[in-house]
Amino acid sequence: MSDQPGRSSRFPLTLDSVVDKKKGATGRSSGKPATTQVTMQTAARNAALSQARQAQQTPVGRAAPLKPVQQGLSQALRPPQPAPVPAVTRAPTPMPPLLSAQPAPKTAVRNVMTVIQTNRSGHASPQASEAVRRAMVARVAKQGVADAGVLAALEAVPRHMFVEPGLAGQAYIDASLPIGHHQTISQPYIVARMIEVLRDNRHGGRLGRVLEIGTGCGYQAAVLSRVAGEVYSIERIKPLHELAKNNLRPLRVANIRLHYGDGMLGLPQVAPFDGIILAAAGLEVPQALLNQMAVGGRLIAPVGERRQVLELIERVSQYDWRRTTLEECHFVPLRPGTM
Ligand code: SAH
């Protein structure tokens, strides 16, 4: 409400510094039934795609006929609309960092099983999970992710702790996996790729404040927390928001703030953001998110319905955005409101 923390506010924010969001917030709907199935992107497919990833960059001037960006321009000039603000939840108490981030090996790890051996309760031994995680990182690097900082972050985050115990054995295969409520944990390659694109900025990879739309189980937020100063993440499904809190708690990540609310509205009370990642696909990038980008900031989002592409939007000035279409991808749909 009135107490809106600005760019200069100290981090972490206090609970009182944000307001509760009312249910049933309005937003754009794709108007289609939920797609619950996320197609796996295979390594071979990604390798082919990464080769073909000569991005077609589309500079967007004020008169360029790109609908989402144009809408961004026209609406950005309007007076700010009062928007419902998602409720905030403090992430776990600040404590020591996750695991030490080691530079990812450039060479592929050979002869390592891609499936972790788990015990009866579904828990993997730390050694087994580290070995398969290194192998996963090597595969992601082979698929074209070159940013050593991202690869190190991927290697530091125990993905098996973000999936239910019965699936822990598959946590390091290159696939999205179900996390309940018809949603999925994103595929490691695409998590790494999106963060790499965000980091390819004019600040030499430095990311201050980052916003993620679609916390899900919290995995991507954990990876982001290794390469960004502050991570805000919004989830619209309450049980998943709770799941992410529970998943992140034992990892003691100090710089993540989880919000329950409609991410299509962004978080105007803590904007602007140096980076914004959407983990769910809409037909276009919500206007509010374009407005909440810092000048020089980058937003990466899957856009489309059955056929989806990753789009990079850069805010080049207060009134100009540039859109670049990257590769094909498969995400769950971006939906308005909360549940
Ligand atoms: N980031 C996750 C992926 C989550 S899947 C990971 O680390 O693997 C995408 C998530 O986006 C789902 O949990 C879905 O509920 C959420 N979502 C979809 N539309 C949303 C919206 N408008 N606001 C917030 N979250 C949304």
Side-chain angles (χ1 to χ4, degrees):
M1 281 168 222
S2 57
D3 186 16
Q4 292 199 340
R7 187 66 167 148
S8 60
S9 34
R10 298 284 305 163
F11 192 86
L13 303 169
T14 64
L15 268 177
D16 326 3
S17 62
V18 289
V19 290
D20 281 349
K21 178 189 172 300
K22 292 195 172 54
K23 278 206 160 199
T26 56
R28 187 193 52 74
S29 166
S30 68
K32 298 282 179 182
T35 303
T36 55
Q37 199 65 35
V38 172
T39 312
M40 188 196 304
Q41 268 182 288
T42 63
R45 181 155 181 243
N46 287 329
L49 285 170
S50 69
Q51 274 180 14
R53 195 189 299 137
Q54 296 307 326
Q56 303 160 332
Q57 208 173 63
T58 316
V60 179
R62 288 163 199 241
L66 288 176
K67 196 175 164 211
V69 176
Q70 265 205 325
Q71 284 180 345
L73 295 179
S74 57
Q75 293 186 18
L77 295 170
R78 290 185 198 157
Q81 302 290 313
V85 179
V88 67
T89 299
R90 286 182 68 93
T93 324
M95 287 202 201
L98 275 178
L99 299 168
S100 63
Q102 300 294 326
K106 275 288 175 191
T107 51
V109 179
R110 266 168 267 145
N111 302 325
V112 178
M113 289 183 306
T114 53
V115 175
I116 306 179
Q117 299 295 326
T118 55
N119 63 20
R120 272 209 202 135
S121 60
H123 296 298
S125 78
Q127 295 83 353
S129 70
E130 278 168 33
V132 289
R133 196 150 67 243
R134 272 199 301 280
M136 177 192 83
V137 171
R139 285 195 306 275
V140 168
K142 218 172 162 184
Q143 288 173 78
V145 175
D147 183 330
V150 175
L151 295 173
L154 213 61
E155 189 169 335
V157 178
R159 191 170 187 256
H160 63 279
M161 290 175 69
F162 292 84
V163 298
E164 58 187 69
L167 290 174
Q170 297 168 55
Y172 296 101
I173 62 173
D174 196 27
S176 54
L177 294 169
I179 55 172
H181 304 273
H182 307 298
Q183 306 302 324
T184 55
I185 179 172
S186 299
Q187 167 201 14
Y189 163 77
I190 206 77
V191 167
R193 175 73 182 131
M194 289 173 95
I195 299 175
E196 176 179 64
V197 171
L198 271 201
R199 269 166 55 93
D200 192 16
N201 60 14
R202 51 165 101 151
H203 307 296
R206 205 182 56 76
L207 284 172
R209 187 169 291 179
V210 170
L211 175 65
E212 178 193 36
I213 311 304
T215 315
C217 60
Y219 174 69
Q220 184 162 37
V223 178
L224 267 172
S225 76
R226 309 287 304 184
V227 296
E230 307 167 0
V231 179
Y232 290 83
S233 183
I234 312 176
E235 174 55 55
R236 67 182 286 272
I237 300 177
K238 189 72 179 253
L240 289 181
H241 166 72
E242 298 295 335
L243 174 72
K245 275 199 286 185
N246 290 335
N247 287 342
L248 289 165
R249 190 169 293 122
L251 299 178
R252 300 174 170 185
V253 188
N255 60 338
I256 298 180
R257 293 295 173 269
L258 300 182
H259 293 245
Y260 167 59
D262 181 357
M264 290 167 80
L265 306 172
L267 280 179
Q269 70 273 34
V270 282
F273 296 97
D274 303 312
I276 300 181
I277 286 192
L278 282 83
L283 296 183
E284 57 189 46
V285 175
Q287 175 58 47
L289 300 181
L290 295 179
N291 290 346
Q292 290 172 33
M293 296 169 68
V295 172
R298 293 159 81 84
L299 177 151
I300 180 119
V303 176
E305 202 168 23
R306 290 184 66 174
R307 180 179 176 267
Q308 299 173 6
V309 287
L310 272 187
E311 284 196 352
L312 163 68
I313 297 178
E314 297 162 271
R315 189 167 191 172
V316 291
S317 74
Q318 195 181 353
Y319 302 114
D320 295 288
W321 286 256
R322 180 170 57 224
R323 185 171 71 181
T324 305
T325 299
L326 305 174
E327 63 216 57
E328 280 193 35
C329 57
H330 302 278
F331 280 82
V332 292
L334 186 70
R335 301 225 165 261
T338 55
M339 56 185 280

